[in-house]
Amino acid sequence: MSHRLLFVGPPGAGKGTQAERLAASHGLLHLSTGDLLRAEVKAGSDLGKEAEAVMNRGELVSDALVLAIVRSRLQSHSGGWLLDGFPRNLAQAEALDALLSELDQPLQSVLLMELDDEELVQRLLARGRADDNEEVIRHRLSVYREQTAPLINHYEQRGQLKRVVSTGTIEAVAERITAALA
Ligand code: B4P
């Protein structure tokens, strides 16, 4: 299996859930930009204060801020990694390409997790995080469609994209992911 990969998919598709499992079982660094931003919010840092309102509206935090976080983590790590929730738009994807070529660590695979909107909304409502109310969830879905979905073509054209359907139990989805990445 690749040891430099990223997960892409709509909010609630289970990227965080599956990335954590896969990273633990393969000894990869799990880098979730959502988790890292929430940690900054919790710590009350300047960066967290800037991110909190944006996240609670369901919009994307500035590219510069997210990139600084990813750069510092990847620069100080020498093994494999799994990026979860990053990149989220084409500008971030291009910045990632530049960073990875600078670090001489080319990306090997991209996993797309797909699920229909109603199931996404139900999963997120059941989770109930600060940004998980129906209005904000629907906005996050439209941000995904406008800004993140174009990444599918970007990686498909490079022959790096693998797809899995995220419906079913966490275990069933994990098995599909293992098969897709084999
Ligand atoms: P993220 O933290 O990335 O979260 P997400 O996309 O909403 O959720 P994910 O797909 O990881 O779902 P999860 O596994 O948790 O983003 C939050 C916000 O951070 C963004 O809106 C943005 O503001 C900001 N942000 C993050 N990255 C950024 C970037 N690069 N640039 C700019 N802004 C950025 O699963 C969801 C729920 O479903 C959980 O409760 C889980 O238990 C459940 N679940 C999972 N799999 C299931 C299954 N098979 N069956 C039933 N339930 C399941």
Coordinates of all heavy atoms in Angstrom, one line a residue, residues 47-118:
L47 N -4.4 32.0 16.0 CA -4.8 31.2 14.8 C -6.2 30.6 15.0 O -7.0 30.6 14.2 CB -3.7 30.1 14.6 CG -3.6 29.3 13.3 CD1 -2.2 28.8 13.2 CD2 -4.6 28.2 13.4
G48 N -6.4 30.0 16.2 CA -7.7 29.4 16.6 C -8.8 30.4 16.6 O -9.9 30.2 16.1
K49 N -8.5 31.7 17.1 CA -9.5 32.7 17.1 C -9.9 33.1 15.7 O -11.1 33.3 15.4 CB -9.0 33.9 17.9 CG -9.0 33.7 19.4 CD -8.5 34.9 20.1 CE -8.2 34.6 21.5 NZ -7.0 35.2 22.1
E50 N -8.9 33.1 14.8 CA -9.2 33.4 13.4 C -10.1 32.3 12.8 O -11.0 32.6 12.0 CB -7.9 33.6 12.7 CG -8.1 34.3 11.3 CD -6.7 34.4 10.6 OE1 -5.7 34.6 11.3 OE2 -6.7 34.3 9.4
A51 N -9.7 31.1 13.1 CA -10.4 29.9 12.4 C -11.8 29.7 13.0 O -12.7 29.2 12.2 CB -9.5 28.7 12.6
E52 N -12.1 29.9 14.2 CA -13.3 29.5 14.8 C -14.6 30.0 14.1 O -15.5 29.2 13.8 CB -13.3 29.9 16.3 CG -14.6 29.3 17.0 CD -14.5 29.5 18.6 OE1 -13.7 30.4 19.0 OE2 -15.2 28.8 19.3
A53 N -14.6 31.3 13.9 CA -15.9 31.8 13.3 C -16.1 31.3 11.9 O -17.2 31.0 11.5 CB -15.8 33.3 13.3
V54 N -14.9 31.1 11.2 CA -15.0 30.6 9.8 C -15.6 29.2 9.8 O -16.5 28.8 9.0 CB -13.6 30.7 9.1 CG1 -13.7 30.1 7.7 CG2 -13.0 32.1 9.2
M55 N -15.0 28.4 10.7 CA -15.5 27.0 10.8 C -16.9 26.9 11.2 O -17.7 26.1 10.6 CB -14.6 26.2 11.7 CG -13.2 26.1 11.2 SD -12.0 25.4 12.5 CE -12.4 23.7 12.4
N56 N -17.3 27.7 12.1 CA -18.7 27.6 12.6 C -19.7 28.1 11.5 O -20.9 27.8 11.6 CB -18.9 28.4 13.9 CG -18.3 27.6 15.0 OD1 -18.1 26.4 14.9 ND2 -18.1 28.3 16.1
R57 N -19.2 28.9 10.5 CA -20.1 29.2 9.4 C -20.1 28.2 8.3 O -20.8 28.2 7.3 CB -19.6 30.5 8.7 CG -19.9 31.8 9.5 CD -19.8 33.0 8.6 NE -18.5 33.2 8.0 CZ -17.4 33.8 8.5 NH1 -17.5 34.3 9.7 NH2 -16.3 33.9 7.8
G58 N -19.2 27.2 8.4 CA -19.1 26.1 7.4 C -18.3 26.5 6.2 O -18.4 25.9 5.1
E59 N -17.4 27.6 6.3 CA -16.6 28.0 5.2 C -15.2 27.5 5.4 O -14.8 26.9 6.4 CB -16.7 29.5 5.1 CG -18.0 29.8 4.5 CD -18.4 31.3 4.6 OE1 -17.5 32.1 4.9 OE2 -19.6 31.6 4.3
L60 N -14.3 27.7 4.4 CA -13.0 27.2 4.5 C -12.1 28.3 5.1 O -12.2 29.5 4.8 CB -12.4 26.9 3.1 CG -13.1 25.7 2.4 CD1 -12.4 25.4 1.0 CD2 -13.2 24.5 3.2
V61 N -11.2 27.9 6.0 CA -10.2 28.7 6.6 C -9.2 29.1 5.6 O -9.1 28.4 4.5 CB -9.6 27.9 7.8 CG1 -8.4 28.6 8.4 CG2 -10.6 27.6 8.8
S62 N -8.5 30.2 5.8 CA -7.7 30.7 4.7 C -6.6 29.7 4.3 O -6.0 29.0 5.2 CB -7.0 32.1 5.1 OG -5.8 31.8 5.8
D63 N -6.3 29.7 3.0 CA -5.3 28.8 2.5 C -3.9 29.0 3.2 O -3.2 28.0 3.6 CB -5.0 29.0 1.0 CG -6.3 28.6 0.2 OD1 -7.2 27.9 0.7 OD2 -6.4 29.0 -1.0
A64 N -3.5 30.2 3.4 CA -2.2 30.5 4.0 C -2.1 29.9 5.4 O -1.1 29.3 5.8 CB -2.0 32.0 4.1
L65 N -3.2 30.0 6.2 CA -3.2 29.5 7.5 C -3.1 27.9 7.5 O -2.3 27.3 8.3 CB -4.5 29.9 8.2 CG -4.6 30.2 9.6 CD1 -5.7 31.2 9.9 CD2 -4.8 28.9 10.4
V66 N -3.9 27.3 6.7 CA -3.9 25.8 6.7 C -2.5 25.3 6.1 O -2.0 24.4 6.7 CB -5.1 25.3 5.8 CG1 -5.0 23.9 5.6 CG2 -6.4 25.8 6.4
L67 N -2.0 26.0 5.1 CA -0.7 25.6 4.6 C 0.4 25.7 5.5 O 1.3 24.8 5.6 CB -0.4 26.5 3.4 CG -0.8 26.0 2.1 CD1 -0.8 27.0 1.0 CD2 0.2 24.8 1.7
A68 N 0.4 26.7 6.4 CA 1.4 26.9 7.4 C 1.4 25.7 8.3 O 2.5 25.1 8.7 CB 1.3 28.2 8.1
I69 N 0.2 25.2 8.7 CA 0.1 24.1 9.6 C 0.6 22.8 9.0 O 1.4 22.1 9.6 CB -1.4 23.9 10.0 CG1 -2.0 25.1 10.8 CG2 -1.7 22.6 10.7 CD1 -3.4 24.9 11.2
V70 N 0.2 22.6 7.7 CA 0.6 21.3 7.0 C 2.1 21.3 6.8 O 2.8 20.3 7.1 CB -0.1 21.2 5.7 CG1 0.4 20.0 4.9 CG2 -1.6 21.0 6.0
R71 N 2.7 22.5 6.4 CA 4.1 22.6 6.1 C 4.9 22.2 7.3 O 5.8 21.4 7.3 CB 4.4 24.0 5.6 CG 5.9 24.3 5.5 CD 6.2 25.7 5.0 NE 6.2 25.7 3.5 CZ 7.2 25.4 2.8 NH1 8.3 24.9 3.3 NH2 7.1 25.4 1.5
S72 N 4.5 22.8 8.5 CA 5.4 22.6 9.7 C 5.3 21.1 10.1 O 6.3 20.6 10.5 CB 4.9 23.5 10.8 OG 3.7 23.0 11.4
R73 N 4.2 20.5 9.9 CA 4.1 19.0 10.3 C 4.9 18.1 9.3 O 5.6 17.2 9.7 CB 2.6 18.6 10.3 CG 1.7 19.2 11.3 CD 2.3 19.0 12.8 NE 1.3 19.4 13.8 CZ 0.9 20.6 14.1 NH1 1.3 21.6 13.5 NH2 0.0 20.7 15.1
L74 N 4.7 18.4 8.0 CA 5.4 17.5 7.1 C 6.9 17.7 7.1 O 7.7 16.7 6.9 CB 4.9 17.7 5.6 CG 3.5 17.1 5.4 CD1 3.1 17.3 3.9 CD2 3.4 15.7 5.8
Q75 N 7.3 18.9 7.3 CA 8.8 19.2 7.3 C 9.5 18.5 8.4 O 10.6 18.1 8.3 CB 9.0 20.7 7.5 CG 9.3 21.5 6.3 CD 9.3 23.0 6.5 OE1 8.9 23.4 7.6 NE2 9.8 23.7 5.6
S76 N 8.8 18.3 9.5 CA 9.5 17.7 10.7 C 9.2 16.2 10.8 O 9.4 15.6 11.8 CB 9.0 18.4 11.9 OG 7.6 18.3 12.0
H77 N 8.7 15.6 9.7 CA 8.4 14.1 9.7 C 9.1 13.4 8.6 O 9.1 13.9 7.4 CB 6.9 14.0 9.6 CG 6.4 12.6 9.6 ND1 6.3 11.8 10.7 CD2 5.9 11.8 8.6 CE1 5.8 10.7 10.4 NE2 5.6 10.6 9.1
S78 N 9.6 12.2 8.8 CA 10.3 11.6 7.7 C 9.6 10.3 7.2 O 10.0 9.9 6.1 CB 11.8 11.2 8.2 OG 11.7 10.5 9.4
G79 N 8.6 9.8 7.9 CA 8.0 8.6 7.5 C 6.8 8.8 6.6 O 6.6 9.9 6.0
G80 N 5.9 7.8 6.5 CA 4.7 7.9 5.6 C 3.6 8.8 6.3 O 3.7 9.1 7.5
W81 N 2.7 9.3 5.5 CA 1.7 10.2 6.0 C 0.4 10.0 5.3 O 0.3 9.5 4.1 CB 2.1 11.6 6.0 CG 2.9 12.1 4.8 CD1 4.2 12.3 4.8 CD2 2.3 12.4 3.5 NE1 4.6 12.7 3.5 CE2 3.4 12.8 2.7 CE3 1.1 12.4 2.9 CZ2 3.3 13.2 1.4 CZ3 0.9 12.7 1.6 CH2 2.1 13.1 0.8
L82 N -0.7 10.4 6.0 CA -2.1 10.4 5.4 C -2.7 11.7 5.6 O -2.9 12.1 6.8 CB -2.9 9.3 6.1 CG -4.1 8.7 5.4 CD1 -4.7 7.6 6.2 CD2 -5.1 9.8 5.1
L83 N -3.0 12.5 4.6 CA -3.6 13.8 4.7 C -5.1 13.6 4.7 O -5.6 13.0 3.7 CB -3.1 14.7 3.6 CG -1.6 15.0 3.5 CD1 -1.3 15.9 2.4 CD2 -1.0 15.5 4.8
D84 N -5.8 14.2 5.7 CA -7.2 14.0 5.8 C -7.9 15.4 5.8 O -7.7 16.2 6.8 CB -7.5 13.2 7.1 CG -8.8 13.3 7.7 OD1 -9.8 13.8 7.0 OD2 -9.0 13.0 8.9
G85 N -8.6 15.7 4.8 CA -9.3 17.0 4.7 C -8.5 18.1 4.1 O -8.8 19.3 4.2
F86 N -7.3 17.8 3.6 CA -6.4 18.7 2.9 C -5.8 18.0 1.7 O -5.4 16.9 1.9 CB -5.3 19.2 3.9 CG -4.3 20.0 3.2 CD1 -4.5 21.4 3.2 CD2 -3.2 19.5 2.6 CE1 -3.5 22.2 2.5 CE2 -2.2 20.3 2.0 CZ -2.4 21.6 1.9
P87 N -5.7 18.6 0.5 CA -6.2 19.9 0.2 C -7.7 20.0 0.0 O -8.4 18.9 -0.2 CB -5.5 20.2 -1.1 CG -5.3 18.9 -1.7 CD -5.1 17.9 -0.6
R88 N -8.3 21.2 0.1 CA -9.8 21.4 0.0 C -10.1 22.3 -1.2 O -11.3 22.6 -1.4 CB -10.3 21.9 1.3 CG -11.1 20.9 2.0 CD -11.6 21.5 3.2 NE -12.7 20.8 3.9 CZ -12.6 19.9 4.9 NH1 -11.4 19.4 5.2 NH2 -13.7 19.5 5.5
N89 N -9.2 22.8 -1.9 CA -9.4 23.5 -3.1 C -8.2 23.4 -4.0 O -7.2 22.9 -3.6 CB -9.8 25.0 -2.8 CG -8.7 25.7 -2.0 OD1 -7.5 25.4 -2.2 ND2 -9.1 26.7 -1.2
L90 N -8.3 24.0 -5.3 CA -7.2 23.8 -6.2 C -6.0 24.6 -5.8 O -4.9 24.1 -6.0 CB -7.7 24.2 -7.6 CG -8.5 23.2 -8.4 CD1 -9.1 23.8 -9.6 CD2 -7.7 21.9 -8.7
A91 N -6.2 25.7 -5.2 CA -5.0 26.5 -4.7 C -4.2 25.7 -3.7 O -3.0 25.6 -3.7 CB -5.4 27.8 -4.1
Q92 N -4.9 25.0 -2.7 CA -4.2 24.2 -1.7 C -3.6 23.0 -2.4 O -2.5 22.6 -2.0 CB -5.2 23.7 -0.7 CG -5.7 24.8 0.2 CD -6.7 24.3 1.3 OE1 -6.8 23.1 1.6 NE2 -7.3 25.2 2.1
A93 N -4.2 22.4 -3.4 CA -3.6 21.3 -4.1 C -2.3 21.7 -4.8 O -1.3 20.9 -4.8 CB -4.6 20.7 -5.1
E94 N -2.3 22.9 -5.4 CA -1.1 23.3 -6.1 C 0.0 23.6 -5.1 O 1.2 23.3 -5.3 CB -1.4 24.5 -7.0 CG -2.1 24.1 -8.3 CD -2.9 25.2 -9.0 OE1 -2.7 26.4 -8.6 OE2 -3.7 24.8 -9.9
A95 N -0.4 24.2 -4.0 CA 0.6 24.5 -2.9 C 1.2 23.2 -2.4 O 2.4 23.1 -2.1 CB 0.0 25.3 -1.8
L96 N 0.3 22.2 -2.2 CA 0.8 20.9 -1.8 C 1.8 20.3 -2.8 O 2.8 19.8 -2.4 CB -0.4 19.9 -1.5 CG 0.0 18.5 -1.1 CD1 0.7 18.5 0.3 CD2 -1.2 17.6 -1.1
D97 N 1.5 20.3 -4.0 CA 2.4 19.8 -5.1 C 3.8 20.5 -4.9 O 4.8 19.8 -4.9 CB 1.9 20.1 -6.5 CG 0.7 19.3 -6.9 OD1 0.4 18.2 -6.2 OD2 -0.1 19.7 -7.8
A98 N 3.7 21.8 -4.7 CA 5.0 22.5 -4.6 C 5.8 22.1 -3.4 O 7.0 21.8 -3.4 CB 4.8 24.0 -4.6
L99 N 5.0 22.0 -2.3 CA 5.7 21.6 -1.0 C 6.3 20.2 -1.1 O 7.4 19.9 -0.7 CB 4.6 21.6 0.1 CG 5.1 21.1 1.5 CD1 6.2 22.0 2.1 CD2 3.9 21.1 2.5
L100 N 5.5 19.2 -1.7 CA 6.0 17.8 -1.8 C 7.2 17.7 -2.7 O 8.0 16.9 -2.5 CB 4.8 16.9 -2.2 CG 3.7 16.8 -1.2 CD1 2.6 15.8 -1.7 CD2 4.2 16.4 0.2
S101 N 7.2 18.6 -3.8 CA 8.4 18.4 -4.6 C 9.6 19.1 -3.9 O 10.7 18.5 -4.0 CB 8.1 19.0 -6.0 OG 8.5 20.3 -6.2
E102 N 9.4 20.1 -3.1 CA 10.5 20.7 -2.3 C 11.0 19.6 -1.3 O 12.2 19.5 -1.1 CB 9.9 21.9 -1.6 CG 10.8 22.7 -0.7 CD 10.1 23.7 0.1 OE1 9.1 24.3 -0.4 OE2 10.4 23.9 1.3
L103 N 10.1 18.9 -0.7 CA 10.5 17.9 0.3 C 10.9 16.5 -0.3 O 11.3 15.6 0.4 CB 9.4 17.6 1.3 CG 8.8 18.8 2.1 CD1 7.6 18.4 3.0 CD2 9.9 19.4 3.0
D104 N 10.7 16.4 -1.7 CA 11.0 15.2 -2.4 C 10.3 14.0 -1.8 O 10.8 12.9 -1.6 CB 12.6 14.9 -2.4 CG 13.0 13.9 -3.4 OD1 12.2 13.8 -4.4 OD2 14.0 13.3 -3.3
Q105 N 9.0 14.2 -1.6 CA 8.1 13.2 -1.1 C 6.8 13.1 -1.9 O 5.8 13.6 -1.5 CB 7.7 13.5 0.4 CG 8.8 13.5 1.4 CD 8.2 13.7 2.8 OE1 7.0 13.4 3.1 NE2 9.0 14.1 3.7
P106 N 6.9 12.6 -3.1 CA 5.7 12.7 -4.0 C 4.5 11.9 -3.4 O 4.7 10.9 -2.8 CB 6.2 12.0 -5.3 CG 7.5 11.3 -5.0 CD 8.1 12.0 -3.8
L107 N 3.3 12.5 -3.7 CA 2.1 11.8 -3.3 C 1.9 10.5 -4.2 O 2.2 10.5 -5.3 CB 1.0 12.8 -3.7 CG -0.5 12.4 -3.5 CD1 -0.7 12.2 -2.0 CD2 -1.4 13.4 -4.0
Q108 N 1.4 9.5 -3.5 CA 1.2 8.2 -4.2 C -0.2 7.9 -4.6 O -0.5 7.3 -5.6 CB 1.9 7.1 -3.4 CG 3.4 7.3 -3.3 CD 4.0 6.3 -2.3 OE1 3.5 6.1 -1.2 NE2 5.2 5.8 -2.6
S109 N -1.1 8.1 -3.7 CA -2.5 7.8 -3.9 C -3.5 8.8 -3.3 O -3.2 9.4 -2.3 CB -2.9 6.4 -3.3 OG -2.1 5.4 -3.9
V110 N -4.7 8.9 -4.0 CA -5.8 9.7 -3.5 C -7.0 8.9 -3.4 O -7.4 8.2 -4.3 CB -6.0 10.9 -4.4 CG1 -7.2 11.8 -4.0 CG2 -4.8 11.8 -4.6
L111 N -7.6 8.9 -2.2 CA -8.8 8.1 -2.0 C -10.0 9.0 -1.9 O -10.1 9.9 -1.0 CB -8.7 7.2 -0.7 CG -9.9 6.3 -0.6 CD1 -9.6 5.0 -1.2 CD2 -10.3 6.1 0.9
L112 N -11.0 8.8 -2.8 CA -12.2 9.6 -2.7 C -13.3 8.7 -2.1 O -13.6 7.6 -2.5 CB -12.7 9.9 -4.2 CG -14.1 10.5 -4.3 CD1 -14.1 11.9 -3.6 CD2 -14.4 10.7 -5.8
M113 N -13.9 9.3 -1.0 CA -15.0 8.6 -0.3 C -16.3 9.3 -0.7 O -16.5 10.5 -0.5 CB -14.8 8.7 1.2 CG -13.5 8.1 1.7 SD -13.3 8.1 3.4 CE -14.6 7.0 4.0
E114 N -17.3 8.6 -1.2 CA -18.5 9.1 -1.7 C -19.7 8.6 -0.9 O -19.8 7.5 -0.6 CB -18.7 8.8 -3.2 CG -17.6 9.4 -4.0 CD -17.6 9.0 -5.5 OE1 -17.4 7.8 -5.8 OE2 -17.9 9.9 -6.3
L115 N -20.7 9.5 -0.7 CA -21.9 9.2 0.0 C -23.0 10.2 -0.4 O -22.7 11.4 -0.7 CB -21.6 9.3 1.5 CG -22.7 8.7 2.4 CD1 -22.7 7.1 2.2 CD2 -22.3 8.9 3.9
D116 N -24.3 9.8 -0.4 CA -25.3 10.7 -0.9 C -25.6 11.7 0.2 O -25.4 11.5 1.4 CB -26.5 10.0 -1.5 CG -27.3 9.3 -0.4 OD1 -27.8 10.0 0.5 OD2 -27.5 8.1 -0.6
D117 N -26.1 12.9 -0.2 CA -26.3 14.0 0.7 C -27.1 13.7 1.9 O -26.8 14.1 3.0 CB -26.9 15.2 -0.1 CG -25.9 15.9 -0.9 OD1 -24.8 15.4 -1.1 OD2 -26.3 17.0 -1.4
E118 N -28.2 13.0 1.7 CA -29.1 12.8 2.9 C -28.4 12.0 4.0 O -28.5 12.2 5.2 CB -30.4 12.2 2.5 CG -31.3 13.1 1.7 CD -31.3 14.6 2.2 OE1 -31.5 14.8 3.4 OE2 -30.9 15.5 1.4

